[in-house]
Amino acid sequence: MKIGIVGAGNIVEWCLDALSNIEEIHCEAMCVRESSVEKGKKLCDEYGIEKLYTDYQQMLMDTALDFIYLGIPNKLHYQYALNALEAGKHVVCEKPFTSDDTELSKLVNVAKSNNCFLFEAITNIHSPNVQIMKECLSKIGPVRFVQSNYSQLSSRYAQYLEGNVHPAFDPALAGGALYDINIYNIHLSCYLFGTPENIQYTCNKGFNGIDTSGVVVMQYPEFISVCTGAKDSASPGQVVIQGEKGCLTLASAPNVADSVELDINGKKQVFNANHHDNHMEYEFRNFQKMYSEGQLEACYELLEHSMDVMQILTKARAQAGISFA
């Protein structure tokens, strides 16, 4: 699996570190803006990447590349992914996939028409500890309540308060707490329990109308799942699934999924199947396996899940009156 990386931000550095530990994936090229060329050169030197592009269309013409990974601002995901798919490239796109469900539907249709793999890079649903949670659900009896909290004070929040708006807080670039951080909680709930019957989003808004923190209440037939995400404040992250016979706790921020605790009548068991330091490795190992084995249907099942999540995000944002450009 030969991949080209688009972007040079923090998430790209995490991605390159993860890929450096996977022998079956080789990063052949990077594409960065003209203003980021020096950083791009540094990353290419550090990770042994041979080619550095500043022209995305030129990169898409590189026949050595199987996949394009997009680690760029949210608003750019749709067009860059569309261009790659139309060029016959497979795509791994950072979360959130797109700005709304209409854009994602278009990408899915193009991917299927071109027999392309299209993956959303969302770490937690590929975590081995989340698989443990899924396997343990039957042990806690009927689920009655789910609480997920991912609250992390953004390093850009102080600048935002001063009027310096980073893409993560910019409605013109599809930013905000819902799309940037609460998405992990929503993905996890949909992965474990399927699509809710109803959702309701309540949020705190900043001076430019973006959500800096908020709560999505997802109504299932027999229980509710409360998803909390904040970029304007911090607290310990965790996911607690309460059943009639016990509870399951993911004792970390939902994107990392560090360990799982099963508590049945006070008897506790702790599980941790993580064995990679970089939690992005699990998703890329899964993507590589599906690609090498030609598992397009497995990829398209994941796309159905991502579509469910994107429809929730789109509806929640509309409820809160958050408008993207």
Side-chain angles (χ1 to χ4, degrees), residues 104-264:
L104 181 53
S105 179
K106 169 71 172 180
L107 293 184
V108 172
N109 289 336
V110 175
K112 290 181 176 180
S113 296
N114 292 349
N115 290 318
C116 286
F117 286 87
L118 174 62
F119 296 111
E120 181 178 17
I122 183 79
T123 54
N124 55 4
I125 68 171
H126 299 280
S127 164
N129 285 335
V130 169
Q131 306 311 310
I132 290 174
M133 289 190 84
K134 198 169 188 178
E135 293 165 5
C136 287
L137 278 175
S138 61
K139 298 179 180 180
I140 65 172
V143 173
R144 290 293 177 241
F145 195 61
V146 181
Q147 303 174 73
S148 305
N149 184 5
Y150 186 8
S151 296
Q152 179 176 292
L153 180 62
S154 171
S155 61
R156 309 285 186 173
Y157 186 60
Q159 296 175 35
Y160 171 74
L161 293 178
E162 294 175 354
N164 183 4
V165 180
H166 185 267
F169 290 99
D170 192 343
L173 296 176
L178 176 67
Y179 275 53
D180 188 53
I181 203 163
N182 212 355
I183 186 174
Y184 288 103
N185 298 321
I186 296 167
H187 258 287
L188 186 57
S189 190
C190 289
Y191 181 73
L192 294 175
F193 307 113
T195 308
E197 293 183 332
N198 294 292
I199 67 104
Q200 184 66 48
Y201 187 45
T202 305
C203 64
N204 294 313
K205 292 184 182 179
F207 65 85
N208 62 346
I210 202 66
D211 54 327
T212 59
S213 55
V215 177
V216 178
V217 178
M218 303 170 66
Q219 182 70 59
Y220 288 87
E222 302 296 333
F223 64 93
I224 58 173
S225 177
V226 179
C227 299
T228 302
K231 294 175 66 64
D232 55 11
S233 54
S235 68
Q238 67 173 5
V239 178
V240 181
I241 303 173
Q242 300 168 209
E244 291 183 352
K245 296 180 180 178
C247 73
L248 275 168
T249 302
L250 189 65
S252 72
N255 64 325
V256 178
D258 273 342
S259 63
V260 178
E261 180 183 277
L262 173 64
D263 186 336
I264 305 294

